[in-house]
Amino acid sequence: MTGRFLLLPVGSIFVRREALSSGPGESSLKLDVVNPFDQSVLAQVAYDADAHVSDKLDAASAAFKRWRRLPLDRRAACVRAGLARLRDHRDGIEREVTLQMGKPLTQSRSEFGTLLDRAETCLEIARDALSADVLPEMTGSVCRLEH
């Protein structure tokens, strides 16, 4: 691992795309990413300073407010684009999971395939799952649950 994480942009919604290396907003403390199988250090990642964490949380909150206003079809298209990017980097991601989790590559591949299958299933059922539920009428009133 090179000390960077792959962050996938989702249209204009993504929060930040940055390499995690020592720089402004980071503390001098580092997190060791350790392979649990052989205890080798795969990478060191700098912790964010408190102010930088606040900035990231503010940016994530603002991004979510934009995201929640997007129509479902547009959000689904963004998720599909993200899944395509994951598929493009599948081999590298599977190797990273193997290194970081200390598991066989075949198991990482299986887990990645399961992730993709579940995501596709969620996309298929999203419209029905997120549609309003109308509860049975109770003495002249109608209850409706919006998701």
Side-chain angles (χ1 to χ4, degrees):
M1 184 166 154
T2 61
R4 293 181 296 145
F5 292 107
L6 173 67
L7 299 179
L8 302 173
V10 182
S12 60
I13 301 299
F14 76 97
V15 177
R16 299 242 165 109
R17 183 181 196 165
E18 60 188 316
L20 296 179
S21 59
S22 291
E26 295 178 351
S27 76
S28 60
L29 296 174
K30 306 281 185 193
L31 171 70
D32 287 342
V33 180
V34 177
N35 179 317
F37 179 73
D38 64 8
Q39 302 302 304
S40 62
V41 176
L42 302 170
Q44 285 191 321
V45 181
Y47 287 99
D48 287 332
D50 290 345
H52 200 48
V53 171
S54 293
D55 291 345
K56 286 183 174 185
L57 290 172
D58 290 344
S61 178
F64 176 70
K65 287 175 184 171
R66 291 188 304 274
W67 174 258
R68 69 188 296 191
R69 287 192 303 263
L70 293 177
L72 180 59
D73 290 341
R74 180 132 180 249
R75 286 185 278 161
C78 290
V79 171
R80 283 189 182 91
L83 290 173
R85 295 276 311 270
L86 285 172
R87 283 186 188 93
D88 289 346
H89 297 279
R90 183 176 189 149
D91 290 341
I93 293 169
E94 291 168 346
R95 280 191 302 277
E96 283 296 322
V97 170
T98 291
L99 290 171
Q100 292 183 31
M101 300 304 294
K103 59 175 60 183
L105 183 58
T106 54
Q107 190 175 1
S108 296
R109 288 180 175 148
S110 177
E111 285 182 10
F112 194 83
T114 299
L115 170 130
L116 295 173
D117 289 344
R118 287 183 179 181
E120 291 293 342
T121 298
C122 287
L123 286 167
E124 289 172 16
I125 66 171
R127 185 157 309 282
D128 288 336
L130 297 174
S131 64
D133 293 320
V134 179
L135 301 177
E137 191 174 326
M138 299 178 351
T139 46
S141 62
V142 176
C143 294
R144 179 179 168 102
L145 298 176
E146 295 285 337
H147 302 281

